[in-house]
């Protein structure tokens, strides 16, 4: 996990609220990713960013938004439009080359009450 | 589109015995393959990857994987399992123009005394 921090570790949200999950890396990596993990479904890509001020939708972007204003930071906002947000959220980063290894943060567990 | 199949939801093995966790893939172009391990409520830890070269890839904690192009497989192996190897294992393939990792659904490995 080292080099990538995610906060908070646990997050509780009421229905209708937006919440923002933090992801910071000190690895000087260019690319950053957000995944959602649900039991039995593996990891699914939400958004990714290859450079500052640019990002692309992944496979399940609806109800989520991101920003990439700094190389080190890639926050994810879970909006009220996300119908089933309860999940484990993982942030990852990798170096410049596409075949570089993606390294993961420790994750944030979001629960909607 | 690329895909990964991990046909076994769970693998049970006795400590000291060899273990194999199976993975098959589908991707257009050259296959770039990864194995990760996840302990409960933690992020994913990188084990090993195949990019090119020797079909037998050695990784962390005594794990290795064998790339077989004709069978489109990338099975994870360890000669002698430890109880501490008990965890969730994910196989992944790089696709999407080199920007996206597609993950399998994971295999729960249980090593018993």
């Amino acid at each position: 996990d080292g080099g990538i921090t995610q906060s908070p570790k646990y997050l509780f949200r009421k229905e209708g609220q937006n919440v923002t999950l933090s992801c910071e890396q000190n690895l000087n990596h260019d690319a950053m990713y957000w995944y959602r993990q649900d039991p039995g479904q593996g990891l699914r890509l939400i958004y990714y960013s290859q450079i500052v001020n640019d990002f692309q939708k992944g496979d399940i972007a609806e109800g989520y938004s991101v920003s990439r204003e700094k190389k080190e930071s890639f926050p994810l906002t879970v909006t009220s439009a996300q119908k089933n947000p309860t999940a484990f959220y993982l942030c990852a980063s990798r170096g410049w080359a596409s075949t570089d290894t993606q390294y993961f943060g420790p994750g944030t567990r979001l629960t909607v009450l | 589109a690329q895909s990964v199949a991990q046909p076994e939801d769970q693998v049970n093995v006795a400590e000291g015995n060899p273990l194999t966790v199976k993975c098959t893939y589908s991707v257009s172009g050259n296959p770039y393959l990864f194995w990760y391990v996840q302990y409960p409520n933690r992020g994913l830890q990188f084990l090993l990857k195949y990019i090119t070269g020797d079909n037998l890839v050695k990784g962390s904690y005594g794990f290795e994987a064998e790339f077989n192009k004709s069978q489109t497989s990338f099975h994870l192996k360890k000669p002698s399992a430890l109880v501490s190897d008990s965890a969730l294992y994910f196989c992944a393939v790089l696709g999407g123009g080199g920007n996206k990792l597609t993950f399998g659904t994971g295999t729960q490995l249980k090593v018993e005394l």
Side-chain angles (χ1 to χ4, degrees), chain A residues 33-79:
Chain A
Y33 300 80
W34 274 106
Y35 295 90
R36 170 181 171 139
Q37 184 178 17
D38 296 282
Q41 294 193 44
L43 277 69
R44 294 181 289 169
L45 182 64
I46 304 172
Y47 268 98
Y48 65 99
S49 168
Q50 294 179 269
I51 56 173
V52 174
N53 293 323
D54 187 48
F55 47 83
Q56 286 78 41
K57 293 181 179 180
D59 300 318
I60 56 165
E62 185 175 354
Y64 300 97
S65 65
V66 293
S67 62
R68 187 88 186 275
E69 298 177 0
K70 298 187 299 182
K71 188 176 184 178
E72 307 80 33
S73 178
F74 191 41
L76 173 74
T77 296
V78 184
T79 75

Side-chain angles (χ1 to χ4, degrees), chain B residues 49-102:
Chain B
K49 67 181 178 183
Y50 172 82
I51 304 300
T52 187
D54 195 347
N55 289 344
L56 185 64
V57 180
K58 294 189 182 297
S60 305
Y61 314 118
F63 284 93
E64 57 190 28
E66 186 168 9
F67 171 67
N68 188 317
K69 189 171 185 178
S70 62
Q71 297 186 8
T72 62
S73 68
F74 190 54
H75 300 331
L76 182 70
K77 300 181 180 183
K78 188 175 182 182
S80 179
L82 299 172
V83 171
S84 58
D85 292 330
S86 299
L88 185 59
Y89 290 80
F90 289 99
C91 181
V93 65
L94 185 66
N99 296 318
K100 296 170 56 175
L101 271 182
T102 297

